[in-house]
């Protein structure tokens, strides 16, 4: 059978049998597009694909100067494809079984937002809100929405895609209870506990109620559509500049900051794992390595050597 037909069947399997998210399906399709450009791969019969050709493809990926993480993802998608072929008995032996692939990722520690910058950002947006004379304009409504998004990112550690895709049915505004559909369609719950954060979410809902109930998405843009991940990113950049925050901010940095600050407060890492929706504790453990200032403070104030004097 031709590779292109088998890939089409695999995408169908991922979408309708494994129920993978639309975002994941789109990423798979993008990765296969790069494979298509390699030696007319899609035109080959599957029997022509062996480990020699696959190794050649991996070398081909390195020629684009891609990040190791991107190469690792593309290889993982290809592995999943061949696992599917083997399981469906389309091929007898998965060629990846005879390959040893080790792609070392750069050990880039997650960047967090300094607490002074979070305060500066929130102070600016709340002051801007309070300076509005009229609460009827869309400008006022939009800043309420923007504050609600910022509060949610900081108080829950949600991914920007999770915030953007929240439905009205996912949120209980009175209890602060939020149901989240994370990666791999894994559901988790998290609570907004600060009263000021809950108040801004309630005010936002009251201003956008008709659009929200019509479109079902909780966060809405000027056109009454879903407030997208890109729009949230641009919104944060806008307030970063207006508040004169001297640090480049992204939505994901709120998530990193959420995890790091909870860890610094002594919260068990397994609770943080659950709140972030990490499948593996090893993913969460990266936050144990990122704050050298905190480490210095702990060692200087808690280490027993400070009580020993020999002079």
């Amino acid at each position: 059978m031709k590779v292109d037909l088998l890939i089409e069947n695999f995408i169908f399997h991922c979408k309708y049998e494994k129920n993978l998210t639309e975002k994941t399906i789109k990423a798979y399709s993008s990765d296969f597009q790069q494979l298509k450009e390699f030696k007319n791969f899609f035109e080959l019969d599957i029997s022509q694909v062996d480990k020699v050709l696959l190794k050649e493809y991996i070398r081909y990926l390195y020629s684009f100067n891609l990040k190791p993480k991107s190469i690792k993802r593309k290889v993982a998608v290809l592995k999943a494809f061949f696992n599917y072929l083997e399981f469906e008995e389309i091929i007898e032996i998965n060629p990846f079984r005879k390959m040893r692939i080790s792609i070392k990722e750069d050990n880039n520690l997650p960047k967090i937002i300094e607490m002074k910058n979070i305060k500066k950002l929130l102070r600016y947006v709340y002051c801007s809100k309070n300076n509005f004379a009229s609460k009827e304009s869309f400008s006022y409504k939009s800043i309420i929405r923007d504050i609600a998004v910022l509060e949610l990112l900081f108080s829950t550690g949600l991914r920007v895609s999770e915030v953007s895709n929240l439905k009205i049915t996912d949120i209980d505004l009175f209890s602060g209870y939020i149901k989240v559909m994370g990666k791999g369609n894994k559901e988790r719950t998290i609570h907004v506990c600060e009263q000021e954060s809950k108040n801004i979410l309630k005010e936002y809902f009251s201003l956008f109620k008709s659009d929200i109930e019509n479109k079902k998405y909780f966060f809405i843009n000027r056109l009454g559509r879903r407030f997208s991940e890109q729009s949230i990113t641009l919104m944060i950049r806008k307030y970063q500049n207006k508040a004169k925050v001297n640090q480049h901010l992204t939505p994901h940095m709120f998530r990193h900051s959420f995890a790091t600050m909870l860890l610094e407060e002594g919260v068990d890492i397994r609770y943080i794992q659950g709140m972030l929706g990490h499948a593996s504790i090893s993913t969460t453990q990266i936050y144990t390595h990122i704050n050298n200032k905190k480490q210095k403070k702990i060692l200087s104030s808690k280490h027993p050597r400070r009580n020993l004097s020999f002079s």
Side-chain angles (χ1 to χ4, degrees), residues 238-251:
K238 177 181 75 173
Y239 290 123
Q240 171 203 319
N241 293 330
K242 287 190 172 184
K244 294 181 170 56
V245 172
N246 191 26
Q247 184 184 10
H248 175 68
L249 306 183
T250 68

Side-chain angles (χ1 to χ4, degrees), residues 117-125 239-240 249 254:
N117 286 335
I118 291 175
K119 288 179 181 177
K120 199 172 183 180
L121 188 71
L122 291 177
R123 187 182 295 116
Y124 175 83
V125 291
Y239 290 123
Q240 171 203 319
L249 306 183
F254 283 89

Side-chain angles (χ1 to χ4, degrees), residues 29-46:
S29 300
S30 174
D31 289 334
F32 281 128
Q33 189 61 36
Q34 197 151 24
L35 179 65
K36 186 178 183 179
E37 296 164 4
F38 172 71
K39 290 194 170 183
N40 295 318
F41 200 98
F42 277 30
E43 300 303 315
L44 297 175
D45 188 272
I46 195 62

Side-chain angles (χ1 to χ4, degrees), residues 27-276:
Y28 279 18
S29 300
S30 174
D31 289 334
F32 281 128
Q33 189 61 36
Q34 197 151 24
L35 179 65
K36 186 178 183 179
E37 296 164 4
F38 172 71
K39 290 194 170 183
N40 295 318
F41 200 98
F42 277 30
E43 300 303 315
L44 297 175
D45 188 272
I46 195 62
S47 62
Q48 295 175 274
V49 181
D50 58 12
K51 70 175 185 178
V52 175
L53 187 62
L54 291 173
K55 284 181 179 181
E56 204 174 328
Y57 174 64
I58 294 170
R59 282 196 294 272
Y60 169 76
L61 290 176
Y62 274 101
S63 71
F64 289 95
N65 292 319
L66 297 170
K67 291 182 179 178
K69 187 174 183 179
S70 297
I71 294 173
K72 200 170 185 178
R73 189 195 70 238
K74 291 175 187 295
V75 171
V77 171
L78 201 51
K79 279 184 178 180
F81 171 59
F82 277 95
N83 286 339
Y84 159 78
L85 296 180
E86 186 178 37
F87 184 80
E88 294 293 329
E89 298 181 344
I90 295 167
I91 59 173
E92 287 187 23
I93 300 174
N94 182 346
F96 277 104
R97 291 185 180 277
K98 296 185 177 182
M99 295 172 66
R100 291 181 180 177
I101 303 169
S102 179
I103 301 169
K104 189 174 181 180
E105 291 185 47
D106 297 332
N107 189 23
N108 293 324
L109 298 178
K111 295 177 182 177
I112 67 166
I113 308 172
E114 294 176 40
M115 193 61 197
K116 66 178 182 180
N117 286 335
I118 291 175
K119 288 179 181 177
K120 199 172 183 180
L121 188 71
L122 291 177
R123 187 182 295 116
Y124 175 83
V125 291
Y126 273 104
C127 285
S128 298
K129 164 189 175 288
N130 295 333
N131 287 336
F132 269 91
S134 170
K135 296 187 178 181
E136 302 302 319
S137 67
F138 186 81
S139 295
Y140 178 78
K141 292 180 180 179
S142 67
I143 199 168
I144 296 300
R145 177 204 58 208
D146 296 345
I147 295 171
V149 170
L150 291 171
E151 286 279 15
L152 204 56
L153 286 169
F154 182 49
S155 61
T156 63
L158 293 180
R159 299 177 179 94
V160 64
S161 60
E162 293 169 345
V163 172
S164 176
N165 286 292
L166 279 175
K167 309 285 197 309
I168 179 55
T169 51
D170 296 331
I171 300 178
D172 185 327
L173 291 168
F174 294 97
S175 67
Y177 169 94
I178 299 177
K179 180 178 69 177
V180 184
M181 189 61 70
K183 286 186 174 180
N185 285 331
K186 291 180 181 176
E187 187 179 295
R188 69 185 190 279
T189 58
I190 194 161
H191 290 79
V192 178
C193 296
E194 291 298 321
Q195 192 58 49
E196 195 169 8
S197 302
K198 286 196 278 191
N199 289 343
I200 204 74
L201 287 168
K202 289 176 186 176
E203 183 176 0
Y204 162 73
F205 178 70
S206 68
L207 293 172
F208 284 82
K209 186 176 180 181
S210 59
D211 281 331
I212 292 170
E213 290 177 342
N214 184 36
K215 296 295 181 181
K216 307 304 179 187
Y217 286 105
F218 188 70
F219 288 112
I220 301 294
N221 66 14
R222 178 184 282 274
L223 300 175
R225 297 172 185 159
R226 180 177 68 91
F227 197 41
S228 69
E229 292 96 318
Q230 185 181 16
S231 296
I232 293 173
T233 301
L234 292 173
M235 176 269 287
I236 291 171
R237 191 177 303 163
K238 177 181 75 173
Y239 290 123
Q240 171 203 319
N241 293 330
K242 287 190 172 184
K244 294 181 170 56
V245 172
N246 191 26
Q247 184 184 10
H248 175 68
L249 306 183
T250 68
H252 215 65
M253 288 170 70
F254 283 89
R255 181 171 166 85
H256 294 324
S257 303
F258 168 84
T260 304
M261 290 172 187
L262 286 181
L263 200 61
E264 288 178 355
E265 291 296 323
V267 178
D268 189 291
I269 195 167
R270 292 204 174 271
Y271 289 124
I272 298 173
Q273 178 192 1
M275 286 185 273
L276 293 177

